[in-house]
């Protein structure tokens, strides 16, 4: 192998690739690295043990790519690289941001506050428990009965009710 071929392979050990195509069903993508294109390579997961975190990359997104031999045929994308137009990222050390097309999650580590923006959020859990204050700025509805203490919103009885302009007593 020539010195120039060895130098080329050595330069290709760590590269930056841009996503050309995505096959989400097979968890694979093709990258453009310089003037070359990879074959279909696995999309990296952020975690893949007991905890699994995976997301589909976007066409045009950039990845750091390693290739032990310097041959792009065995290239492995390892992590996404922010680009200059990643305006959704604040750049402050106190914020953790998860930004996606239909919403976002922003956690401020200094204040301990989180903002979650979505059109709808469904919890499918056996029980949810809140501690501290819970405030709603809009309507709260339920298909089931709602209770405050032992007082039911659907079936409570009020004693001492009279007709006319009198005000009823407290629910019992």
């Amino acid at each position: 192998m020539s010195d120039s071929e060895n130098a080329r392979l050595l330069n290709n050990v760590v590269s930056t690739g841009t996503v050309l195509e995505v096959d989400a069903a097979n968890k694979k993508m093709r990258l453009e690295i310089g003037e070359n294109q990879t074959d279909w390579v696995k999309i990296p997961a952020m975690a893949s043990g007991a905890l699994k975190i995976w997301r589909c990359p976007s066409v045009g997104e950039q990845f750091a790519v390693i290739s032990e031999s310097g041959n792009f045929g065995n290239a492995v994308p390892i992590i996404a690289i922010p680009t200059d137009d990643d305006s959704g990222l604040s750049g402050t050390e106190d914020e953790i941001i998860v930004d996606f097309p239909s919403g976002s999650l922003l956690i401020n580590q200094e204040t301990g506050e989180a903002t979650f923006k979505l059109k709808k959020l469904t919890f499918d859990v056996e029980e949810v428990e809140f501690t501290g204050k819970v405030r709603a700025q809009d309507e709260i509805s339920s298909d089931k009965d709602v209770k405050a203490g032992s007082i039911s919103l659907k079936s409570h009885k009020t004693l001492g009710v009279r007709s006319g302009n009198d005000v009823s007593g407290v629910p019992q």
Side-chain angles (χ1 to χ4, degrees), residues 46-124:
M46 292 175 250
S48 192
L51 170 67
K52 292 174 179 36
I53 303 174
W54 183 87
R55 58 132 191 125
C56 187
S58 305
V59 170
E61 186 173 356
Q62 292 185 332
F63 278 81
V65 179
I66 59 170
S67 175
E68 290 181 48
S69 68
N71 182 339
F72 293 138
N74 64 2
V76 178
I78 54 175
I79 191 165
I81 301 171
T83 61
D84 291 339
D85 51 318
D86 278 339
S87 58
L89 306 177
S90 71
T92 70
E93 59 191 45
D94 294 327
E95 292 181 344
I96 297 171
I97 299 169
V98 180
D99 194 21
F100 40 95
S102 61
S104 64
L105 168 63
L106 183 137
I107 300 170
N108 186 308
Q109 297 180 97
E110 183 179 338
T111 64
E113 296 177 358
T115 303
F116 201 16
K117 294 182 180 180
L118 282 175
K119 289 184 179 180
K120 181 179 179 180
L121 178 62
T122 301
F123 290 95
D124 186 1

Side-chain angles (χ1 to χ4, degrees), residues 1 4-17 31 33-34 36 38 63-79 81:
M1 196 176 292
S4 62
E5 178 65 9
N6 281 333
R8 183 190 67 76
L9 291 173
L10 187 58
N11 284 336
N12 291 345
V13 170
V14 178
S15 304
T16 301
L31 300 166
I33 302 172
N36 301 300
T38 67
F63 278 81
V65 179
I66 59 170
S67 175
E68 290 181 48
S69 68
N71 182 339
F72 293 138
N74 64 2
V76 178
I78 54 175
I79 191 165
I81 301 171

Side-chain angles (χ1 to χ4, degrees), residues 146-162:
V146 177
K147 293 183 179 179
S150 63
I151 299 171
S152 161
L153 287 181
K154 284 190 168 187
S155 63
H156 76 269
K157 304 291 184 211
T158 304
L159 299 176
V161 177
R162 292 187 233 145

